[in-house]
Amino acid sequence: MQEYFHSVRLDTDKCKGCVNCIKRCPTEAIRIRGGKAQIIESRCIDCGECIRRCPNHAKTAFTDNLQDLANYRWNIALPAPALYSQFNYEVSIEQILEALLSLGFDEVFEVALAAEYVSSQIHDYLENNTGNRPYISSACPAVVRLIQVKFPELIDHIIPVDSPAALAGRIAKCQSSARLGIPPEQIGVWFITPCPAKVTAVKQPVDMEISYINGAIGIAEIYGELLKNIGQNANNVKRTATYKGVGWALAGGETKATGRDSTLSAHGIQSVNDILEQVVLGKLNDIEYLECQACAGGCIGGPLMVQNRFVAEKNMKKRLEFIKNQGLNDDKEAQINYDPAEYALVKQKIEPRSILRLDSDIVKAMQKMELIEKTLARLPGLDCGSCGSPSCKALAEDIVQGHASETDCVFKLRERVKALAEEMVDLAQKLPPSLNKENEEGFYDRR
Amino acid sequence: MTNEQTLKMEFTLKSMDFNLAGEASSKIKQVLQRIGISSAVIRRIAIGTYEAEMNAIIHAVNGKMTVEVSKDKTEVTVVDEGPGIHDVDMAMTEGYSTAPDHIREMGFGAGMGLPNMARCSDVFSIKSEYGVGTEIYMIFNH
Ligand SMILES: Nc1ncnc2c1ncn2[C@@H]1O[C@H](COP(=O)(O)OP(=O)(O)OP(=O)(O)O)[C@@H](O)[C@H]1O
Ligand code: SF4
Ligand SMILES: [Mg+2]
């Protein structure tokens, strides 16, 4: 398999080797080795949980930046709906879009608008398909990857409908290319992202061969510049999306926009994990659609956001109420001619990337499993993390797989040292026969 | 080693202990995933063991589940010490349940557990004596 791109990375200089991140990683993808964290590439789903947890800011997200725009003749910004939550609702969406233009983009295309199309595609799909209930949203790439690595049996439940960002990228690139007569490869399309998971999804899509999006720029990366430019420009851009699409930024917004009743929304990576366990047990078969988001609160809680999540949520709710009352003052159908067939994309099947298998041979795997249980029984069960593995169980597995040794556990080490010390005392008391008083009677007499 | 290699697990199922409900089947599922059993088979086993586990917890006392995994099959035995089932044929029909209201409110009692166990396993047998206990035996071919 080709090398896997990851947005989440480690800044080795800042890492102190504390164990905060390893304990919070939902896929146990981090170990501490040699005093520094190491991310196990095959396990990482780029959810960004470690970015939130690291007290030393040593976990970072690779994103593109504005300099990259210079490589293209025409640049289009695709703002995630969550971007709007970073501003008070009195800052209008038009002002935010204008500010994006002043950063060097030639055009903006709201992902929120694509979200509206996606909502109706989801609606239609659910109307016509019932075989794999509950269908699971494909919008959050961290969730899709969680399913790939930990719930491969649920891959068929992922709804084969594009994410709003992917669709926005496709519409924007194709339409502008046709309108301007610029070849698609000279058009740069940039997703303004709330999270590293989307960066990875753009660089390496799981369900299609090519991405129409050229890169992703973190919201935190451009927030300062945006702030400076808010309200400084003429009001030429019109917003295109209604509250339905914009609402996708909040947990629950997607299900609301699909207009189906039997839905459920789970957010926060641990909660998503728990709800997926329920799906596996067939407990949620009566639910039509399951919206899952890795971030608590939805995308407004993304790791690359600037505002506190609760503030962002308040901002967003206010804004939704506001634009709902305001309505759209122009005719968006005239602006965007969306023909699903024209943009329909043959989706690749999402492949499982299971991290769970201990060995490719079942019998060997069973032997390893037994060894792990035995090893685990000898470990203290404190899950302290000092060994560099997230739990005693993970250490037991690392030992059996040959990546760690039992004395990596400080308690085991202490036991060993104690045993050694006792042995040394024992040995120290042993004297050579020539000095040993007990031997006074003489060696030969003993017979 | 030989193909006779097996893996045994044993779980105690405590009556009405909803804190631990689902633990046994979830543990079994994890182990099977690590061993590399196909996900479609794991799913059947997860459902079968979960339903059997829940029945022992909700309807019975002193339940015990034993699981033996070998290369090509997983065998599951769940025994409990009562109260046993009056009419097994009746209990096996879809939608039949004696679960009281407070259990139904928790989302159980659709009367689908036993039929689901029979459906997702390759071999299914149930023995029950009223006043004595129930024994469920399932084989899942890998
Ligand atoms: N281990 C058991 N001991 C005693 N009675 C049982 C046992 N298992 C099942 N039963 C009886 O058989 C009935 C049907 O069981 P089944 O698992 O099919 O449905 P349920 O448990 O009532 O509902 P569901 O499994 O759908 O939540 C139960 O309501 C109960 O009366
Ligand atoms: S919930 Fe939104 S912000 Fe968070 S990882 Fe998923 S797509 Fe990204
Ligand atoms: Mg039952």
Side-chain angles (χ1 to χ4, degrees), chain A residues 32-183:
Chain A
I32 311 286
R33 294 285 177 264
K36 302 284 177 189
Q38 271 177 17
I39 305 174
I40 305 169
E41 306 262 306
S42 58
R43 289 178 163 252
C44 174
I45 58 170
D46 287 290
C47 66
E49 196 62 20
C50 54
I51 296 181
R52 286 196 194 91
R53 303 295 168 186
C54 178
N56 306 308
H57 303 289
K59 290 289 193 327
T60 57
F62 167 85
T63 78
D64 296 290
N65 56 48
L66 293 171
Q67 274 98 62
D68 299 320
L69 270 57
N71 302 330
Y72 297 87
R73 259 173 77 189
W74 188 261
N75 286 290
I76 309 173
L78 307 179
L83 173 67
Y84 310 151
S85 72
Q86 302 298 286
F87 305 91
N88 188 303
Y89 80 99
E90 281 156 344
V91 174
S92 69
I93 292 178
E94 284 86 350
Q95 282 177 319
I96 300 169
L97 302 177
E98 282 291 349
L100 275 172
L101 289 180
S102 51
L103 298 191
F105 295 101
D106 302 294
E107 191 184 330
V108 282
F109 187 99
E110 287 185 273
V111 174
L113 177 61
E116 287 179 35
Y117 296 127
V118 171
S119 308
S120 63
Q121 282 180 340
I122 294 172
H123 174 98
D124 295 351
Y125 190 89
L126 295 175
E127 192 72 38
N128 299 319
N129 297 273
T130 53
N132 285 318
R133 279 189 184 171
Y135 286 95
I136 302 171
S137 167
S138 65
C140 173
V143 170
V144 172
R145 277 167 214 266
L146 181 72
I147 292 174
Q148 279 181 297
V149 300
K150 273 182 89 178
F151 299 93
E153 65 271 47
L154 297 183
I155 284 181
D156 292 341
H157 289 251
I158 300 174
I159 197 162
V161 169
D162 275 323
S163 73
L167 180 64
R170 217 151 39 166
I171 301 178
K173 186 167 269 186
C174 298
Q175 287 197 341
S176 295
S177 172
R179 191 183 70 240
L180 303 163
I182 301 178

Side-chain angles (χ1 to χ4, degrees), chain A residues 140-141 194-195 197-198 293-295 299 302:
Chain A
C140 173
C195 62
K198 285 281 191 192
Q293 282 160 309
C295 298
C299 296

Side-chain angles (χ1 to χ4, degrees), chain A residues 222-294:
Chain A
I222 55 168
Y223 187 68
E225 283 300 305
L226 273 182
L227 264 189
K228 266 193 241 160
N229 283 288
I230 292 280
Q232 303 295 314
N233 313 71
N235 228 349
N236 291 328
V237 218
K238 294 268 182 291
R239 73 182 170 86
T240 52
T242 68
Y243 70 96
K244 279 192 186 158
V246 177
W248 271 62
L250 290 175
E254 175 183 347
T255 48
K256 211 177 274 168
T258 60
R260 312 292 303 188
D261 346 296
S262 178
T263 60
L264 197 150
S265 149
H267 48 108
I269 194 78
Q270 191 53 52
S271 312
V272 168
N273 196 77
D274 296 347
I275 206 88
L276 293 178
E277 298 272 6
Q278 296 278 304
V279 176
V280 172
L281 291 175
K283 290 280 126 184
L284 298 178
N285 290 354
D286 56 330
I287 303 259
E288 253 185 343
Y289 194 58
L290 186 56
E291 168 191 330
C292 290
Q293 282 160 309

Side-chain angles (χ1 to χ4, degrees), chain B residues 52-112:
Chain B
E53 176 182 8
M54 291 317 295
N55 275 2
I57 289 172
I58 293 175
H59 305 296
V61 292
N62 293 335
K64 207 176 82 183
M65 168 142 68
T66 13
V67 180
E68 185 162 341
V69 189
S70 54
K71 188 165 184 268
D72 33 46
K73 65 176 190 296
T74 295
E75 282 174 274
V76 180
T77 314
V78 187
V79 286
D80 63 58
E81 295 177 5
I85 302 174
H86 260 303
D87 183 342
V88 172
D89 287 341
M90 187 75 122
M92 287 299 298
T93 40
E94 286 191 11
Y96 174 82
S97 173
T98 60
D101 285 350
H102 68 276
I103 293 289
R104 284 174 199 265
E105 269 159 31
M106 295 176 72
F108 301 102
M112 290 304 289

